[in-house]
Amino acid sequence: MESHGKVIDRLRTAFRSRVTVPLEFRLSQLRSLLSLMEENEAQILEALHKDLAKPKFEAVLSEIEMVVNDICYAIDNLKYWVQPDYVGKNLATKLDDCFVHREPLGVVLIIGAWNYPLQLVLLPLVGAIAAGNCAVLKPSEISQATEALLAELIPKYLSQECFSVVCGGAEATARLLENRFDHIFYTGSQAVARSVLQAAAVHLTPVTLELGGKCPCLLYGQLDIPAAAKRLAWAKYFNAGQSCVAPDYVLCSRQVRDVLLPALQQALHHFYGPQPQRSVDMGRIVTERHWSRLMDLLGRSGGRVAIGGESSREERYIAPTVVVDVQESDALMQEEIFGPILPILTIESLEEGIELINRREKPLALYVFSDESKAVSTVLEKTSSGGFCSNDGIVHMTLPGLPFGGVGASGMGSYHGRWSFETFSHRRGCMLRGWGLEKINVLRYPPYRDGSLSWLRWATTTKKKGWSSCSVM
Amino acid sequence: MEKQVVDRAQQAFLSGRSRPLGFRLQQLRALHRLITEREADIVAALKQDLNRSRFDTPLFELIGLENEIRLAESSLSEWAAPRPVKKNLVTASDDVYVQAEPLGVVLIIGAWNYPWALTLQPLIGAIAAGNGAVVKPSELSSHSSDLLKELLPQYLDKEMYQVVTGGIPESQELLRQRFDHIFYTGNSIVGKIVMEAAARHLTPVTLELGGKSPCYIDKNCDLSVACRRITWGKFVNCGQTCIAPDYILCEPGIQQRVIEGIQQTLMEFFTDNPKSSPDYGRIINRRHFDRIVGLMEGCTVALGGQTDSSECYIAPTVLTDVSPHVRLMQEEIFGPVLPIVNVSSIDEAIHFINRREKPLALYVFSSDKKVIKRMLSETSSGGVTVNDVIMHYTVTSLPFGGVGNSGMGRYHGKHTFDQLSHHRAYLIKSLAMESLNQARYPPMSPARLKRARFFMQTWLCSCRRLACVWAAVATMVALGLLVALLVVVLKVLFCLYVLSFHI
């Protein structure tokens, strides 16, 4: 097997040959990636089922369709994205061409995660290809079947000179990170993100970190509780709660909670039937270790299980569970749950909810369910989060027009759609001058005189709104 | 002490008072007043730090800052407004937009070569974006940093924006604290240290670093104009500019004319005795003076070469027939020493540039569009100016920043505002139209899955094998309307025909 260093050298040589730069090459690779998705749907679904018992429904929507849509979006728009942006000029640069040119960075590293093992590697890859880079893919070793499938399919469909898959665990990732890349895109936990960032610092490599956190979900005031319950239940228990943007915990008043519980019960019954363990649409926990972590959290919680609570170690199954009477100091509130357990904390007022949210790290997503637009705008103005969605969950990340990414402890940078292209591009500021008007340049040359300084002030001071200003330094 | 400063700035930010646009505009206006009212003090400080003339200071630092503040003032409401994005079928009736919000407290670490521009320009963006800030100016330009520490609290909100002065221990203590963004201008070595410190808190960084900015002179160009522009850019601030042309690449055949062009320009700018010119600066300190003098050892001096350690003076110097392997060509010069390296062709020049780290700036002088195109498309750099030097820095609508070893992130104008903001994605829905959501809920059925896939598409007309539905629908509707119109017209004509018989 090729060493990491050799793989990266090979990709760098390919990048230096400029084979990835022409638009046609990028489009052809994107089309090949599309073919990979369309021709291997059955194998993909099988791998996802092996790894996570991922229900077909979920796998199609959240993995296959997400990736296919993004590829198509890139194919349809790439010719516009690569065009230079001509920018505003001013008096002194009226005859010049000033534009921003987007260029590839080089060889990028994409480290995926196990919860959406296909999407979290391929969506960044779409951006890397669209921006003209070469890429090393490091899928998560925890979702082994998908890792193996990617290692088999990527070389079949994409240029082997430009794109490579590296398999292995934490040690392999650490060794990979010793090498120099031109961008590192990491999806995963905060603890590992710190090591990724530290490794990147050695080479001054820019990074994108898609992390997690506890995404709060506030229910307040007047609201259609049955509709809210359905959307909340869907977002929470999708992929058995193993989504970085799943609503992690709920904040609501006691009165709302008392109406919410039966509504959630009904929604769950509608989705998964009376015995969710038998439903083909209910996922499983990825490994026994993760299952044990969740069961331990539930065991240590001081709350009361109001819905669900059943589990099975053999199947790595945990029923869709709701826990009430949870305090802020509860075990369930100390770390990202990442499972099908939903704690409900009661609050007396909107302010109390906002203060609780703001006492914690900025989350990746924040949700508010309310028919009162003032409540929604109060929350969004007084909090911060990667993204914000009112009256639904998760769906904001399915729109390629919206940047998807965190802030603070939930990450840095963003992607999806054009944002992926921008993440993997360098925006080079370019100015093309002519030889004429050297007389105007005289103003900036020594020997300096009072007169020339006044002229220069006049010529370079911003006068009108909308005029890009120019200064000599 | 540093921790207390940061805590105070945090508390000030958490009070929420930096968020309203009115507050930000008020602070920007106050900063503007600082620059205009205290220009004389700033000029005096820079004279002591870098022997800057009273023209250099407004020219190279203050006019630019004033322009940036005016731009921020006039554009702030536009920058801070929600930016709508394209929707899909399912979100057609929702509000979907991106809006910039403040990050929190930003640490700005300035550099000594343009001590005011390189600390206040990021601060303008930090203020505009609604953040608090801790500013750490460089201790090497000590008069400027002391003056900034004295002046900033007199004009701006004392808790929200604070200045910390000092050297390495103070910087290290600051870097142990948690910030929401760190903006560093300086060299790559310290840049790595800053990024590593930021990693502990998962803090995003902007690094404005340096490198060796190459300047390629094609034989096909207006050499006298090229030499004048290059001379200006190289020797301004005594070569201590991160985007000064570091070295020249040209064919041996034009080397002599290049030297003569530079020599003539130097005469015009600084007379034959630059040491006596009030417009020629000095090296910041003895350590850097010794470093630059050391780099010149063993090289052939074509122009200049005189030095005076008592004044940290180095004459404008040009070195010729420089080998790519000497120490001079391994590190950023950051001084008034201009080596000329011979290359036999543009291919060799491109190869030479690409073997090295990506520079902060790249310069090409040529009248041949093909040469320019090749240089631009076959190299990478933070920014480019063709047929001049430095000037791309001066256009606020161009993003200014490095790539690879020359840095990450960008700023100037709106780019600073964007760099120091969080671009939060918003999807504002109502609880109505729940029926639309049915497609995505379990239990799965093939029909439901098909509907869900359909609704997930962004465009109904795309590269997918699915037919252009809108085009088909629109065509049918248009045909239908056309038929209806024809029927109406025919009826009217028929009625007119019948009427004509009656009349």
Side-chain angles (χ1 to χ4, degrees):
Chain A
M1 199 196 302
E2 231 181 343
S3 74
H4 295 161
K6 283 218 158 68
V7 168
I8 296 160
D9 284 343
R10 181 161 54 76
L11 264 46
R12 208 170 279 293
T13 305
F15 180 74
R16 285 203 176 115
S17 76
R18 301 171 47 74
V19 66
T20 57
V21 176
L23 186 62
E24 252 328 294
F25 176 85
R26 307 183 203 188
L27 289 170
S28 80
Q29 294 298 291
L30 288 172
R31 287 185 197 112
S32 298
L33 194 60
L34 187 59
S35 302
L36 183 160
M37 297 300 296
E38 289 172 344
E39 291 166 14
N40 297 281
E41 187 167 308
Q43 290 101 300
I44 290 170
L45 291 174
E46 194 190 319
L48 290 168
H49 190 78
K50 262 199 196 129
D51 285 330
L52 284 143
K54 208 175 264 242
K56 179 177 171 181
F57 203 38
E58 291 186 359
V60 167
L61 293 187
S62 68
E63 300 256 30
I64 295 175
E65 285 300 304
M66 281 283 294
V67 175
V68 167
N69 276 346
D70 212 56
I71 297 172
C72 287
Y73 191 76
I75 291 175
D76 289 342
N77 293 285
L78 189 53
K79 57 181 175 291
Y80 306 114
W81 296 348
V82 297
Q83 294 303 318
D85 280 337
Y86 282 86
V87 301
K89 293 186 282 192
N90 50 65
L91 270 180
T93 54
K94 259 279 176 279
L95 298 181
D96 306 322
D97 275 338
C98 293
F99 58 91
V100 180
H101 184 240
R102 283 156 175 84
E103 315 183 327
L105 294 168
V107 179
V108 307
L109 171 63
I110 297 168
I111 303 174
W114 54 259
N115 55 332
Y116 293 90
L118 203 76
Q119 186 216 107
L120 296 176
V121 159
L122 295 188
L123 279 186
L125 179 60
V126 170
I129 295 174
N133 300 287
C134 292
V136 172
L137 304 182
K138 169 68 190 67
S140 170
E141 72 284 7
I142 295 176
S143 40
Q144 284 176 352
T146 312
E147 180 197 40
L149 187 64
L150 282 169
E152 178 203 328
L153 293 180
I154 293 280
K156 268 196 192 151
Y157 284 82
L158 300 189
S159 158
Q160 292 188 34
E161 295 312 304
C162 303
F163 307 102
S164 189
V165 179
V166 167
C167 300
E171 209 187 283
T173 309
R175 273 186 288 116
L176 199 50
L177 285 167
E178 284 164 14
N179 294 280
R180 185 177 181 183
F181 292 94
D182 299 291
H183 193 99
I184 297 174
F185 191 107
Y186 169 76
T187 305
S189 73
Q190 284 160 21
V192 175
R194 281 189 187 88
S195 337
V196 169
L197 203 39
Q198 259 150 7
V202 171
H203 299 291
L204 286 172
T205 301
V207 301
T208 303
L209 302 175
E210 294 278 331
L211 310 177
K214 294 180 75 63
C215 299
C217 180
L218 245 163
L219 278 82
Y220 182 79
Q222 292 297 320
L223 71 153
D224 178 346
I225 291 193
K230 265 199 159 148
R231 297 177 189 194
L232 172 55
W234 176 80
K236 176 65 184 184
Y237 301 107
F238 196 93
N239 204 30
Q242 296 162 114
S243 308
C244 43
V245 283
D248 188 276
Y249 62 97
V250 162
L251 297 169
C252 64
S253 68
R254 212 165 286 275
Q255 297 86 333
V256 167
R257 184 200 67 178
D258 293 340
V259 185
L260 181 64
L261 282 171
L264 278 172
Q265 185 82 276
Q266 199 174 2
L268 290 170
H269 193 271
H270 176 80
F271 291 170
Y272 308 115
Q275 289 178 294
Q277 194 170 356
R278 298 236 177 100
S279 163
V280 298
D281 296 315
M282 183 65 199
R284 296 292 182 266
I285 308 306
V286 68
T287 66
E288 202 180 303
R289 183 168 64 84
H290 289 81
W291 181 92
S292 300
R293 180 188 68 85
L294 286 164
M295 294 309 296
D296 174 65
L297 278 181
L298 197 54
R300 286 190 291 118
S301 169
R304 173 176 61 86
V305 172
I307 299 175
E310 301 87 15
S311 61
S312 154
R313 183 186 286 273
E314 301 76 50
E315 284 194 42
R316 303 188 320 272
Y317 166 77
I318 299 176
T321 300
V322 178
V323 183
V324 298
D325 302 331
V326 174
Q327 305 303 318
E328 217 181 320
S329 53
D330 197 276
L332 287 170
M333 292 302 289
Q334 304 318 310
E335 57 185 85
E336 187 177 358
I337 294 169
F338 224 68
I341 302 168
L342 180 66
I344 299 183
L345 286 76
T346 46
I347 50 170
E348 308 281 307
S349 66
L350 192 61
E351 281 65 41
E352 191 190 326
I354 291 172
E355 276 163 28
L356 192 154
I357 291 169
N358 286 342
R359 274 200 288 278
R360 296 165 164 273
E361 293 292 349
K362 295 175 187 178
L364 186 54
L366 201 151
Y367 304 109
V368 178
F369 283 84
S370 180
D371 277 332
E372 294 172 28
S373 58
K374 193 155 190 319
V376 172
S377 34
T378 303
V379 177
L380 67 87
E381 277 160 27
K382 293 196 172 173
T383 60
S384 184
S385 60
F388 180 94
C389 180
S390 68
N391 295 321
D392 212 330
I394 296 184
V395 285
H396 64 290
M397 69 163 300
T398 67
L399 300 172
L402 282 178
F404 179 67
V407 63
S410 52
M412 56 180 79
S414 60
Y415 71 128
H416 285 189
R418 181 172 186 157
W419 304 90
S420 305
F421 171 80
E422 297 286 350
T423 289
F424 289 107
S425 299
H426 166 53
R427 273 177 252 176
R428 196 182 194 185
C430 300
M431 179 190 247
L432 272 56
R433 309 207 82 184
W435 299 108
L437 298 178
E438 186 59 9
K439 287 248 177 321
I440 292 187
N441 276 349
V442 168
L443 287 175
R444 78 188 197 214
Y445 296 149
Y448 302 124
R449 281 176 266 280
D450 278 312
S452 47
L453 192 58
S454 315
W455 273 110
L456 215 45
R457 265 191 204 275
W458 178 85
T460 61
T461 302
T462 309
K463 287 176 185 35
K464 267 155 70 160
K465 184 180 168 169
W467 281 32
S468 160
S469 76
C470 169
S471 61
V472 183
M473 199 54 220
Chain B
M1 199 273 278
E2 282 74 27
K3 183 171 188 326
Q4 284 165 0
V5 165
V6 178
D7 287 344
R8 266 204 304 277
Q10 286 274 6
Q11 289 312 309
F13 175 74
L14 288 171
S15 75
R17 66 179 183 273
S18 63
R19 287 175 183 265
L21 296 193
F23 175 88
R24 307 183 205 184
L25 287 169
Q26 181 205 50
Q27 296 299 304
L28 288 170
R29 283 181 203 122
L31 190 60
H32 200 173
R33 278 199 320 274
L34 185 162
I35 292 168
T36 47
E37 288 170 12
R38 311 306 289 259
E39 184 176 322
D41 295 324
I42 295 172
V43 166
L46 282 167
K47 172 82 184 164
Q48 291 186 282
D49 284 328
L50 286 149
N51 197 42
R52 282 264 190 86
S53 75
R54 68 188 178 87
F55 300 99
D56 281 3
T57 291
L59 201 60
F60 301 130
E61 306 225 32
L62 304 185
I63 294 180
L65 287 173
E66 289 181 64
N67 281 343
E68 284 271 338
I69 293 173
R70 278 196 201 97
L71 179 68
E73 279 182 63
S74 63
S75 307
L76 187 56
S77 52
E78 184 198 317
W79 295 350
R83 303 176 199 180
V85 302
K86 280 206 166 88
K87 303 190 265 196
N88 66 10
L89 271 181
V90 177
T91 54
S93 61
D94 305 320
D95 281 335
V96 188
Y97 59 95
V98 179
Q99 189 163 16
E101 53 169 48
L103 289 167
V105 177
V106 178
L107 171 63
I108 297 169
I109 303 175
W112 53 260
N113 55 332
Y114 294 92
W116 295 85
L118 299 177
T119 36
L120 296 189
Q121 201 158 346
L123 180 61
I124 291 166
I127 295 172
N131 300 294
V134 174
V135 178
K136 166 69 186 66
S138 170
E139 69 279 16
L140 296 193
S141 44
S142 57
H143 298 92
S144 293
S145 65
D146 289 342
L147 183 61
L148 185 66
K149 178 150 190 174
E150 180 199 325
L151 292 184
L152 209 71
Q154 290 177 24
Y155 287 82
L156 300 193
D157 184 310
K158 285 191 205 15
E159 277 91 34
M160 193 70 74
Y161 314 105
Q162 299 187 61
V163 181
V164 171
T165 50
I168 294 175
E170 287 77 9
S171 300
Q172 285 173 334
E173 190 52 39
L174 271 178
L175 285 170
R176 277 187 206 108
Q177 312 310 315
R178 185 179 179 183
F179 291 93
D180 299 288
H181 195 100
I182 299 177
F183 193 112
Y184 168 77
T185 305
N187 66 62
S188 313
I189 296 168
V190 178
K192 288 177 186 176
I193 296 171
V194 169
M195 194 171 167
E196 215 240 340
R200 271 177 248 133
H201 297 293
L202 290 174
T203 301
V205 301
T206 303
L207 303 176
E208 294 279 329
L209 310 176
K212 294 180 77 62
S213 300
C215 179
Y216 175 69
I217 308 178
D218 187 34
K219 57 182 181 288
N220 179 4
C221 78
D222 187 334
L223 214 47
S224 73
V225 172
C227 289
R228 183 177 288 118
R229 295 177 181 183
I230 291 167
T231 306
W232 169 77
K234 176 66 181 186
F235 299 107
V236 100
N237 207 32
C238 213
Q240 296 161 117
T241 306
C242 47
I243 46 170
D246 188 276
Y247 62 97
I248 288 175
L249 291 168
C250 70
E251 290 180 27
I254 58 166
Q255 182 175 264
Q256 191 51 38
R257 284 167 58 209
V258 168
I259 295 168
E260 283 161 13
I262 294 173
Q263 185 171 31
Q264 196 181 340
T265 310
L266 285 170
M267 267 294 290
E268 286 172 29
F269 287 179
F270 307 120
T271 75
D272 58 359
N273 184 13
K275 203 176 184 190
S276 62
S277 163
D279 300 323
Y280 189 70
R282 296 293 183 266
I283 305 303
I284 182 78
N285 62 24
R286 187 60 196 265
R287 182 170 68 84
H288 278 278
F289 170 87
D290 289 339
R291 178 187 65 80
I292 299 164
V293 168
L295 287 178
M296 292 199 294
E297 269 166 39
C299 297
T300 311
V301 175
L303 296 174
Q306 302 87 351
T307 64
D308 180 351
S309 59
S310 67
E311 282 189 42
C312 288
Y313 166 78
I314 300 177
T317 301
V318 175
L319 306 173
T320 48
D321 305 319
V322 176
S323 154
H325 308 293
V326 295
R327 204 160 64 88
L328 182 75
M329 290 305 293
Q330 308 314 316
E331 59 181 83
E332 189 175 356
I333 295 166
F334 223 67
V337 174
L338 180 57
I340 303 180
V341 176
N342 290 139
V343 287
S344 56
S345 63
I346 182 173
D347 288 305
E348 199 186 323
I350 290 172
H351 191 58
F352 188 97
I353 291 167
N354 287 344
R355 269 207 311 274
R356 290 147 182 279
E357 294 293 349
K358 293 174 187 177
L360 186 54
L362 189 142
Y363 303 112
V364 186
F365 285 83
S366 180
S367 301
D368 186 342
K369 285 200 171 82
K370 283 203 207 79
V371 165
I372 295 169
K373 189 163 183 224
R374 274 199 69 192
M375 261 294 166
L376 258 57
S377 58
E378 294 180 38
T379 64
S380 185
S381 62
V384 178
T385 300
V386 173
N387 294 332
D388 208 335
V389 295
I390 294 181
M391 295 303 287
H392 65 285
Y393 180 99
T394 70
V395 178
T396 52
S397 47
L398 284 178
F400 181 76
V403 63
N405 237 45
S406 51
M408 56 183 78
R410 65 205 64 80
Y411 74 130
H412 286 191
K414 181 171 186 253
H415 302 286
T416 327
F417 175 88
D418 284 341
Q419 188 77 13
L420 299 178
S421 297
H422 167 52
H423 296 274
R424 195 181 189 189
Y426 289 90
L427 173 57
I428 309 294
K429 301 188 73 163
S430 79
L431 281 162
M433 298 209 279
E434 178 57 10
S435 52
L436 268 185
N437 279 347
Q438 298 305 322
R440 75 186 198 214
Y441 296 148
M444 186 200 88
S445 69
R448 192 175 259 183
L449 185 58
K450 206 172 165 186
R451 268 205 309 279
R453 286 179 103 140
F454 177 76
F455 280 120
M456 269 194 78
Q457 285 184 72
T458 317
W459 304 105
L460 284 182
C461 185
S462 76
C463 66
R464 302 185 71 168
R465 282 200 288 270
L466 200 64
C468 264
V469 177
W470 278 131
V473 166
T475 309
M476 284 192 300
V477 167
L479 275 171
L481 283 172
L482 194 61
V483 165
L485 185 66
L486 269 169
V487 165
V488 166
V489 165
L490 283 170
K491 269 198 169 149
V492 167
L493 283 173
F494 181 72
C495 288
L496 284 173
Y497 177 71
V498 165
L499 268 173
S500 70
F501 277 109
H502 287 277
I503 293 166

